[in-house]
């Protein structure tokens, strides 16, 4: 199969388009007949119970897993046709478990985002330095850029990793539960940053989240999975309906209107 040269994918109305994809691992059906579009310039949440296939779908978008059937395109091109470096220059992936980099400084970690642009042996240029500084400013972590990653709070660490993705100059960010280990205050901090980066910086974000209310608050669109299948897709207002929530989570849920919010809040009955 031909490999595209190292260039940015064309700008289209969608970033990723998944068509009839399935995933079988050791005869276990992880995803089945999933077809979804991810509009460019939006923050799109993947939600659902544990084991619903959210992270597996994100890994397929990130080219960490290969669909058993179906196809995924990015920028109107089959995902398989991009070279690793061309893809990394446009799409950045932050996995759920990040165990490396604890002994690095924040600036060193953020600098790792420039790897797709100059390779392992390439020279770190003035442009690379400027991209790192821009990423530090964008995430408001320039004041502790010389601190060791392992000494930071959970929210600060997540901001540092997101800064690395920004330094990568990626137009699309894939984030797997970046708020999973954070308290509510740090969840709001990180998700506010993600939303701002998308809406002010013209980036697309696809993010796996557990909290449906956080997804409704910070995301433009929600795709819900259950047992590997898409069971709901739409805006926050469309998803936060009792029948839809019951279908997604398998328990009785209801919603209540909240002052100054354009969408209701969900709760377990």
């Amino acid at each position: 199969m031909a490999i595209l040269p190292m260039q940015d994918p064309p700008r289209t109305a969608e970033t990723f388009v998944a068509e009839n994809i399935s995933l079988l691992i050791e005869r276990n059906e992880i995803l089945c007949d999933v077809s979804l579009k991810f509009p460019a310039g939006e923050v799109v949440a993947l939600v659902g119970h544990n084991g619903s296939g959210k992270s597996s779908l994100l890994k397929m978008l990130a080219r960490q897993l290969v669909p058993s059937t179906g196809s995924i395109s990015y920028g109107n091109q089959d995902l398989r046709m991009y070279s690793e470096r061309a893809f990394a220059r446009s799409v950045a992936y932050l996995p759920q478990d990040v165990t490396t980099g604890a002994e690095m400084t924040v600036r060193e970690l953020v600098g790792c985002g420039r790897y797709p642009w100059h390779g392992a042996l390439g020279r770190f240029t003035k442009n690379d330095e400027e991209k790192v500084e821009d990423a530090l400013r964008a995430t408001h972590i320039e004041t502790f850029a010389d601190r060791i990653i392992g000494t930071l709070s959970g929210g600060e660490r997540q901001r540092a990793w997101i800064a690395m993705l920004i330094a990568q100059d990626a137009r699309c960010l894939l984030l797997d539960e970046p708020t999973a280990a954070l308290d509510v205050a740090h969840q709001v901090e990180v998700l506010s940053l993600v939303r701002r980066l998308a809406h002010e910086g013209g980036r697309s974000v696809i993010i796996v989240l557990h909290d449906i209310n956080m997804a409704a608050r910070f995301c433009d669109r929600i795709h819900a999975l259950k047992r590997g299948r898409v069971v709901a897709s739409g805006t926050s207002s469309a998803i936060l309906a009792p029948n839809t929530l019951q279908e997604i989570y398998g328990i009785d849920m209801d919603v209540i209107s909240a002052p100054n919010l354009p969408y209701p809040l969900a709760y377990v009955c």
Side-chain angles (χ1 to χ4, degrees):
M1 181 174 291
I3 301 295
L4 291 178
M6 291 189 297
Q7 60 185 7
D8 291 338
R11 297 188 180 277
T12 62
E14 291 88 25
T15 49
F16 288 94
V17 176
E19 296 184 294
N20 307 115
I21 61 172
S22 66
L23 179 66
L24 294 174
I25 298 179
E26 296 180 353
R27 298 184 180 180
N28 294 314
E29 187 178 65
I30 310 301
L31 291 166
C32 179
D33 196 28
V34 171
S35 294
L36 288 171
K37 293 182 179 181
F38 298 86
E42 290 190 357
V43 182
V44 181
L46 297 175
V47 305
H49 58 76
N50 289 339
S52 60
K54 306 182 300 295
S55 293
S56 294
L57 175 56
L58 196 74
K59 287 178 181 178
M60 284 196 283
L61 300 181
R63 304 206 314 180
Q64 305 296 304
L65 289 174
V66 178
S68 302
T69 60
S71 64
I72 301 175
S73 62
Y74 177 72
N76 285 339
Q77 297 285 352
D78 190 294
L79 209 58
R80 298 169 297 175
M81 296 185 69
Y82 292 101
S83 69
E84 289 187 11
R85 184 173 289 187
F87 189 70
R89 287 181 173 183
S90 187
V91 178
Y93 169 59
L94 183 63
Q96 186 176 147
D97 298 315
V98 181
T99 57
T100 60
E103 302 303 319
M104 303 174 71
T105 68
V106 171
R107 182 174 277 105
E108 288 170 342
L109 176 68
V110 176
C112 292
R114 299 305 298 161
Y115 175 80
W117 297 92
H118 56 64
L121 302 178
R123 180 183 176 185
F124 204 78
T125 66
K126 180 67 173 178
N127 181 61
D128 294 320
E129 293 176 0
E130 291 174 352
K131 292 291 185 181
V132 169
E133 295 305 315
D134 288 345
L136 292 171
R137 285 191 292 270
T139 51
H140 303 303
I141 58 174
E142 62 268 41
T143 56
F144 49 86
D146 296 318
R147 285 181 55 186
I148 301 298
I149 292 292
T151 68
L152 303 179
S153 70
E156 290 168 342
R157 282 197 300 273
Q158 288 301 82
R159 284 160 61 192
W161 280 101
I162 292 172
M164 186 192 75
L165 306 189
I166 296 171
Q168 191 172 325
D169 223 11
R171 307 312 302 164
C172 182
L173 309 183
L174 307 178
L175 310 176
D176 194 353
E177 296 190 47
T179 61
L182 303 181
D183 58 37
V184 173
H186 284 121
Q187 289 180 42
V188 171
E189 175 188 17
V190 169
L191 293 175
S192 295
L193 168 64
V194 168
R195 184 174 176 85
R196 177 171 58 82
L197 291 173
H199 290 179
E200 295 180 8
R203 296 177 179 86
S204 304
V205 179
I206 303 171
I207 182 170
V208 172
L209 291 173
H210 269 295
D211 191 321
I212 187 65
N213 286 317
M214 287 291 188
R217 177 175 178 177
F218 292 102
C219 300
D220 302 298
R221 191 178 307 270
I222 299 173
H223 296 319
L225 300 175
K226 184 177 183 180
R227 299 190 185 96
R229 296 177 181 270
V230 179
V231 293
S233 181
T235 63
S236 299
S237 297
I239 297 298
L240 268 70
N243 291 342
T244 303
L245 293 169
Q246 200 281 335
E247 173 67 18
I248 296 170
Y249 294 105
I251 57 175
D252 290 333
M253 297 184 70
D254 207 340
V255 297
I256 187 172
S257 60
N260 304 320
L261 290 180
Y263 52 85
L265 295 175
Y267 65 93
V268 178
C269 296

